[in-house]
Amino acid sequence: MDRHIPPAGRWQLAARAQRMTPSSLRELLKVAERPDIISFAGGLPSPYALPVERLSAAVGQILQHDATGALQYGPSEGYTPLREAIAARLSRSGATVSPAQVLVTTGSQQALDLVARVLIDPGSRVLIETPTYLGAVQALAQYEPVFEEAPSDAGGLIPECLDEALMRDARLLYVQPNFQNPTGRTLPLDRRIALVSRAKRHGLLLVEDDPYGELVYSGVTPASLLSMAPDDVVHIGSFSKVIAPGLRVGYLVAPEELMIKLLQAKQASDLHTTGITQRIAHALLTDGQYDAHLEAVRLRYRAQCALMLKCLAEHMPDGVAWTRPAGGMFLWVTLPPAIDSAALFEDALACGVAFIPGASFHAITPKANTMRLTFTTATPIQIETGVARLAQAIKARLRKAAPCLAVS
Amino acid sequence: MDRHIPPAGRWQLAARAQRMTPSSLRELLKVAERPDIISFAGGLPSPYALPVERLSAAVGQILQHDATGALQYGPSEGYTPLREAIAARLSRSGATVSPAQVLVTTGSQQALDLVARVLIDPGSRVLIETPTYLGAVQALAQYEPVFEEAPSDAGGLIPECLDEALMRDARLLYVQPNFQNPTGRTLPLDRRIALVSRAKRHGLLLVEDDPYGELVYSGVTPASLLSMAPDDVVHIGSFSKVIAPGLRVGYLVAPEELMIKLLQAKQASDLHTTGITQRIAHALLTDGQYDAHLEAVRLRYRAQCALMLKCLAEHMPDGVAWTRPAGGMFLWVTLPPAIDSAALFEDALACGVAFIPGASFHAITPKANTMRLTFTTATPIQIETGVARLAQAIKARLRKAAPCLAVS
């Protein structure tokens, strides 16, 4: 790896900075915010799902009774009662987690940054699903790894394909087992068992990113990797989807050997996460209404997902396929091979609807005929109108791409 | 530089993580928090200086009128009105800053992290003052530079000592010109002019960290490096000292070429800074009471600084010297050469008082006979009692170190 790239500008930048490229996705998301556009693009929670009243009450209480605690410097590990509440909640769902294993982070994005900082040298091998979460790729890429795609299908990672050659010397495998971003797919229990078994045998660290696990539409998610192999997993969670992303409160759970280093990296990064928002997260997690709020969010998203699936079935032409998520915020559409979704994006925009082209979610081998749709942000009427517009754009492009289809 | 250190534990850590060492300072600060200890150790604002009422009013308004804005995902650059307010305030004090040059960060610690990420490769040369701010060394050290000390005296950096050999290939020079942490010293105007002139001539990037500049006790601080050389300076600021550290809101101002990269690094680090706290900082900066609040904080700290100086003069034995800051939160004590302040720390603790041993603030050549005292956190009575106790510990150690002194 050449670490001596000549400076392009006035300042000699770090090699990692020279490799940073402007995010085309950022520009695309800005366009999708135009008021005339129905956006299935950004991964935002529904504005109707934000618990504004409880949050206002909580912040009032915090500033009345614990203002100095909330406003002074705090411990880098995080606010102790929040760490305890997170450990208790994770323990309820089958993992055995002590508060000492919990590090509060500035959103789960920072958890990814810290994990990468502690584990990745330039040139380190890092395994990812395909497709995978773009934000994770961006965080990990800052530490200049070599990404390798672990073979995946509609059920997610295929553990049998993780052979000795792929796993050897890999610093970590990054996986979202529940309602994955961008596909909405869930890793089945038997694959989780097989994955953990292989990882343990080969000393592969599993980074389990679970921002959507609580948004399960019915029943429960399969057991977490953390619950199966607490010594082999860094587990990452977030309050962005169930409370509010603007709080920037997430967390990670790690084995002690890694926690010591992650804590030092956290301290060097931003000293600690905001005191007020940590206390807000704690209040909302422990005020007795969290589960009822969660259930309301689940019902809302389940209905919106069902509506989008119904509209897709109604409007989409033959040759278009999509996933049927059991939770979360996203579904994944596969178009006929002739359609490049980046080109389709422009057509769709002209029709007043936006999505994210699937190429954005592939670190290595882009599949151009795919796209991610978010069903949480739009209203039901917008979902109906937006899917119809999208189908119209696809049909028009199919006619252009293969005019004979227009005859049939 | 050997990048292939064998793994000490189960996981192959990144080289940077293998070099991380547990912070002895953290342990020391925990001890200093004991209720029986008068602490001059931590760099905390006075709890009486936190604007709790205005802050409560602001957060109520924000959640009533802009809850969705505050709680959803926001732009990585920061909340636009806050960026505008920061640019306007900096422009009032002589710099010409546009909002597009302002990046809001999760405390100024994150600004240091981002600057280091974008500019430092393993082995890059980085110039620092001596002594210098420990948190900056910790942030920069994550990116594995080679630190070099720029000669400094009671006036701070000595520009004439920045020779060709020292500056060549250095990625940046890190400096706190105003009321430096830990010494409280201020870089005089003539040195600023000379520093900027040399830096420009040799293409050296200046990182100007200014968390204390607004805490000037009378008059104004000398012109900022930013105002003299906006194309050659990354300027870092913070709301931690004048509003509240727990908000974790800071910012940086950078030339466009660097801003593009810093923004991408910010996005990968934590997506954006908390929406609520950015809006709180904006409200408190623009509600018309900021300058009155600032003046009250200045008066409080000026009085506490003067009191500590008076107590030092009253109690300290011959051979002990200290700085006389014109602003900020800290002063710096130089002990007789025979006294190691790390050993003195234990004695002082036994007497019920804590400080930070000066060795913590030297990246390369520690001066063991120095210490930092914070005068902002303790009450006036605690300052009087604490300085007397500290003098007692020093006198006792002087007797032990040189028993003949006890006879005189």
Side-chain angles (χ1 to χ4, degrees), chain B residues 293-334:
Chain B
H293 168 69
L294 180 57
E295 190 55 28
V297 176
R298 283 172 178 157
L299 285 175
R300 174 184 292 277
Y301 290 175
R302 183 169 68 182
Q304 295 194 189
C305 179
L307 177 61
M308 188 175 271
L309 289 170
K310 176 175 150 286
C311 296
L312 286 167
E314 267 174 33
H315 295 290
M316 285 295 157
D318 285 350
V320 178
W322 51 88
T323 57
R324 282 159 188 79
M329 302 170 64
F330 310 107
L331 58 78
W332 184 247
V333 176
T334 304

Side-chain angles (χ1 to χ4, degrees), chain B residues 243-324:
Chain B
I243 301 180
L247 292 184
R248 310 308 304 127
V249 181
Y251 57 89
L252 61 80
V253 179
E256 190 188 354
E257 176 192 340
L258 294 177
M259 181 56 80
I260 294 165
K261 301 294 184 179
L262 290 164
L263 177 59
Q264 289 174 56
K266 165 71 181 171
Q267 194 182 15
S269 294
D270 64 0
L271 298 184
H272 65 86
T273 294
T274 307
I276 295 178
T277 54
Q278 287 194 75
R279 282 165 177 77
I280 291 173
H282 172 254
L284 268 63
L285 198 53
T286 58
D287 69 358
Q289 296 175 64
Y290 186 81
D291 287 322
H293 168 69
L294 180 57
E295 190 55 28
V297 176
R298 283 172 178 157
L299 285 175
R300 174 184 292 277
Y301 290 175
R302 183 169 68 182
Q304 295 194 189
C305 179
L307 177 61
M308 188 175 271
L309 289 170
K310 176 175 150 286
C311 296
L312 286 167
E314 267 174 33
H315 295 290
M316 285 295 157
D318 285 350
V320 178
W322 51 88
T323 57
R324 282 159 188 79

